[in-house]
Every structure is written in C-alpha cells, then in structure tokens.
Amino acid sequence: MRLFQNSGVYRSYRPRLARLTADCRSFDAARKAFLDDRFGAAHFLAPVLEGRSDAFLANGDDAFSQQLWASEQGLPADTSLEDILLAQIEHHKTEVFYNLDPVRYGDAFLKRLPGSVKRSIAWRAAPSGGADFLAYDAIVNNFPSLLEGYRAQGARAEYLFPAHDPEMDAYAGQTERPTDVLFVGSYSRHHRARAEMLEAIAGLRRNLRVVMHLDVSRYTRLAETPLGWVGPLRKDRRARDIRAVAQPPVFGRDLLAAIGRAKIVVNGAIDMAGSDRGNMRIWEALGCGAALISDAGTYPPHISAGKSFMSYDSPQQVPQLILDLIRHVDARSELARSGHEMIRTAYSKKVQWERFVEIAG
C-alpha cells in the first residue's frame, strides 16, 4: 500500500513550527523537524513514523514546507498549496490518501486526485452538519455518536483511534514529578463548565504545585486588559486563582515534558460528542505515565474508570480526587502504571495500523 497522509497545522502551534523549521533548507529537513517534535504523532500511522519509502507525510497548509518541496521539484513560485499537495500525491503514486484535514480538502479536492488513488479516507472528530467531505470512501474517528451522525448523512463511517507514540515511554519513566497537578487545554468564555473545574483545582495552589498551560482565546485576553476591569468584559476574566497558576500553552515535546513532570493530569472533554470520551489528552497523559483524572462518560475499549483513570461527575469532585491521589502514593503510582501499560499495548501503533489496513481494504 502506497500511503499518503496529509495533516494540518493547528493555529496555535504555527509559531513553534516556524521556529523549529526556520533553518531548514529542504522539505525533508522541515518534515523531520516537525516529526521529531511529535506534535500529533498519535494520529500518524506506523509507516509514516517509521520513514518507509511507500509512505509520505505532508502538512498541506504549511506554506513553508510545501513551498520547499515545490521549489525542489521545479514548480512555479506561485503554485497554490492545493496544487502542490496534488503534485505530491501524483509524484508519490499514492494508492491510499488519508486526510486529517477534510474541511480544507473536501469533495471538490477529491475530484482532482490522480488516478493512482484507490481509496480516500478522512479523519474528522467533530460534528459537521452539511459537511462537504462526505464523498471520502470512509470517514473515521473514535467517537461512536459522531460516526452515527456521518452514517445518517449517507457516508461510510468507521471506528479508528489514536495510538500510543513510543516516544512517550521515556517521559513515562520519569520518577521525579515536581508538578502535583497539571491541566493543559484551551480556555474561552464558552468553556463555562471547564472554567468552573479549573477554578476548583486552582484553589489548591496554596498547598500543591498546580500548573495550567492554557491556550487562551483573544476575547479572554482582551477581558484581562485594563479594558476588562469594568463593564461587560469583566465577567469573562479568568478567576484570580486560575490566573495565578496559568502559563502559556505548550505543544510537541514541551507538552510531553510537562506531562512527564506531573503526578496528576486533569482532563475535561468539551461537549462535542455527547457522553463519548476519547480526546487526545487521554492518550498523552496515560502515554507519559501520569495519573489521569477525567470526566465520566463512555470511553474507548480498555480505558476503564478506576483502573486506567479516576472519573468525576462534577467539577466539585475533582479537588478531593486530587487530594486522595496525592496522599495515597502507592494507589496513584499503580493507577499511572496500569493506565500506561494499557495504552501502550491496547492502542499500539501496530494495532492502529492493522485497523487502518482493514478499513482501507
């Protein structure tokens, strides 16, 4: 199988990627710098991560790396990013096109794929009413309710999951974990339930080392300027305790390092797939050996409350769960060990690849 995997660059990650690739003078060097940072590695299939010649990875919306490839191939300087991506697929003689960015490259793009492409598969893990990418041969994610939604729209939808990145094992092996509690995620005025939970956690900062790496919305940043001290913006400022423990967002290896320093990682899903759970923080926290506290719901197979992680039903429960795990070191260590062993085996790259081959076949 000649596999082409296309990804997209998360907006907040772009400045970091620009720094990582600033000195790169070839497409291969830029791609290597990106892959070495492990951003999104849970979604990259084994042949891509192994560097196999029959597998190709591109970030189709990353102008810097894509234009490096275009220049190396002698394409005109004004070639569009879409045309560069199509040229890469044709040059690679791709048989299976796996796209992590179907909103950008939807049904109209599929009509332009070269004849070598026999299967097109799209990862989409979000509600998409009126989606313009239903012509893919399969839409995949790890949220059953979302898959049912795509089937109701007439698409073939199949269950596929992120996988454990073996690079995380080095972080899981860290025994010195000076951060007691870690939260990493986005924060905006729309995340009311999340804000309530974070405020409850931040209240522990006087006795515990609490760290929150928050990707804050522009509106929230504006609310925390002098303009937000009075008037309607005031209600959208983060609570004082949250601001006291907040740090800039982290990505890639910096994120893995932050989790590797943490005893406990708290996760909170956003209301996107009903009671289904399975966001990336679960794979990252368990993969890097932290004890995970996450909200109650329906989790993927093998990820079990009480064995792989501790669950909560309301934000008010979280501080006590944290304190219990901090006090009971052996129980916390066993929870972290069990969670890591489960994710490393049940969701290995080998298992992920075998499932993908089954879908593509």
Side-chain angles (χ1 to χ4, degrees):
M1 178 194 302
R2 295 192 63 80
L3 169 72
F4 190 111
Q5 187 162 6
N6 176 59
S7 187
V9 181
Y10 183 54
R11 184 187 67 184
S12 295
Y13 180 68
R14 287 184 180 276
R16 177 177 175 85
L17 180 60
R19 292 192 298 271
L20 291 172
T21 59
D23 296 328
C24 295
R25 296 295 176 262
S26 71
F27 174 79
D28 285 344
R31 180 170 56 184
K32 182 179 185 301
F34 169 72
L35 283 172
D36 285 349
D37 198 39
R38 313 314 286 182
F39 180 82
H43 287 296
F44 298 147
L45 299 173
V48 167
L49 292 178
E50 292 166 2
R52 282 171 35 178
S53 61
D54 57 354
F56 192 97
L57 173 71
N59 285 316
D61 64 339
D62 177 32
F64 179 76
S65 64
Q66 292 297 84
Q67 287 167 359
L68 281 174
W69 187 89
S71 176
E72 292 165 2
Q73 301 302 317
L75 297 180
D78 61 352
T79 304
S80 70
L81 291 180
E82 180 170 310
D83 286 343
I84 293 173
L85 186 60
L86 286 165
Q88 288 174 323
I89 295 169
E90 184 173 10
H91 183 268
H92 177 253
K93 298 180 175 60
T94 297
E95 295 172 328
V96 176
F97 175 57
Y98 180 33
N99 187 15
L100 305 182
D101 192 11
V103 173
R104 188 182 306 274
Y105 299 105
D107 292 348
F109 181 81
L110 292 180
K111 294 176 181 178
R112 301 184 64 199
L113 287 174
S116 64
V117 177
K118 305 297 188 261
R119 292 285 186 276
S120 59
I121 298 172
W123 172 278
R124 179 63 176 170
S128 304
D132 190 32
F133 50 82
L134 299 181
Y136 278 84
D137 292 317
I139 298 172
V140 297
N141 64 53
N142 60 310
F143 296 94
S145 62
L146 295 179
L147 294 174
E148 285 301 320
Y150 287 123
R151 293 181 187 122
Q153 295 179 72
R156 177 191 171 196
E158 299 287 349
Y159 191 88
L160 184 67
F161 37 83
H164 174 64
D165 177 9
E167 289 289 309
M168 293 180 178
D169 291 341
Y171 300 92
Q174 294 181 194
T175 55
E176 293 298 320
R177 293 181 176 255
T179 301
D180 292 311
V181 189
L182 174 70
F183 178 88
V184 181
S186 57
Y187 186 101
S188 78
R189 60 195 170 109
H190 303 296
H191 294 153
R192 295 300 183 188
R194 174 171 292 183
E196 185 178 358
M197 180 188 69
L198 295 185
E199 187 171 359
I201 298 170
L204 300 173
R205 67 185 178 91
R206 293 162 186 83
N207 299 307
L208 300 178
R209 169 67 171 159
V210 179
V211 175
M212 296 182 181
H213 290 285
L214 302 178
D215 191 3
V216 180
S217 70
R218 294 178 182 177
Y219 191 94
T220 300
R221 289 198 297 268
L222 180 62
E224 293 178 0
T225 67
L227 291 174
W229 292 350
V230 294
L233 289 175
R234 186 174 184 179
K235 69 180 187 305
D236 295 309
R237 301 179 73 203
R238 290 173 294 177
R240 179 178 297 176
D241 281 340
I242 295 177
R243 297 200 306 272
V245 300
Q247 297 186 19
V250 287
F251 303 100
R253 293 274 184 181
D254 286 350
L255 169 59
L256 303 186
I259 297 174
R261 291 191 296 269
K263 298 179 180 73
I264 298 168
V265 170
V266 178
N267 176 57
I270 58 175
D271 187 11
M272 177 189 70
S275 63
D276 289 345
R277 300 288 181 263
N279 65 328
M280 282 299 303
R281 196 67 67 241
I282 295 168
W283 268 261
E284 292 159 349
L286 298 180
C288 291
L292 175 66
I293 296 175
S294 190
D295 47 344
T298 303
Y299 281 76
H302 310 291
I303 304 179
S304 305
K307 185 175 181 181
S308 305
F309 71 101
M310 299 300 293
S311 69
Y312 62 89
D313 294 303
S314 69
Q316 293 76 23
Q317 292 178 319
V318 178
Q320 190 58 54
L321 285 172
I322 291 171
L323 292 173
D324 288 345
L325 286 176
I326 291 294
R327 289 172 185 145
H328 299 97
V329 177
D330 290 344
R332 185 183 74 240
S333 297
E334 176 56 24
L335 183 70
R337 187 208 61 78
S338 176
H340 177 255
E341 181 63 16
M342 178 278 303
I343 209 79
R344 188 182 66 82
T345 54
Y347 291 96
S348 69
K349 283 294 172 184
K350 180 177 182 291
V351 173
Q352 182 191 46
W353 175 239
E354 289 172 348
R355 174 56 181 155
F356 183 85
V357 170
E358 182 180 3
I359 294 169

